[in-house]
Amino acid sequence: MNKKISVITLVVLNALLLPLESLLAQTQFPEPFAYPTQNQSQTQQQEDHFACYTWAKQETGVDPSQLSPTTTSQSSQQGTVLRTTAKGSLAGTAIGAIAGNTGEGAAIGAGVGALTGFIRKREAQQQAQQQQAQANVEEQQRLQTYYRAWTACMDGKGYTVK
């Protein structure tokens, strides 16, 4: 019995310690900066910046001040391991009772249930990470569209944009 429990414990710990896939590194595009080339005053620079912000927002439908990463809900993941451990323990107890050893059956069932819970939790986390990565890519594409319009406007007003 102890050998079986040790094996199950190792399997469960291995599932816990497996590194989760991290989010794909997203290339973040920094906000471009406009350098005045026609001796524009600070006041003129602010007016031009705001005018181009307004125009680019209107043309593209993108407001960079309103973009934010999508948050993922982990509430559905909470309790997954506990529920599956309890279910596995109950199933193991029933099987162990039939086989003549309730305690061993419960321990094995709890281990299998915990492992199942960890696997389900990890799959849910990976799916949430993939959704977040996709949302980040889409947000960056919208932001690039806005910055292209803003850059064109600032270029037209006599600025060098980098």
Side-chain angles (χ1 to χ4, degrees), residues 36 38-49 159:
Q38 299 173 352
N39 295 324
Q40 294 96 329
S41 68
Q42 185 67 28
T43 303
Q44 185 63 47
Q45 290 176 35
Q46 290 173 350
E47 289 174 7
D48 291 342
H49 177 81
Y159 293 84

Side-chain angles (χ1 to χ4, degrees), residues 20 61 90 115 131 134 152:
L20 293 176
L90 287 173
L115 180 60
Q131 290 171 346
Q134 182 62 33

Side-chain angles (χ1 to χ4, degrees), residues 1-10 104 108:
M1 177 173 129
N2 287 337
K3 187 174 182 176
K4 289 180 184 177
I5 292 174
S6 296
V7 170
I8 292 171
T9 303
L10 287 175
E104 184 177 343
I108 292 171

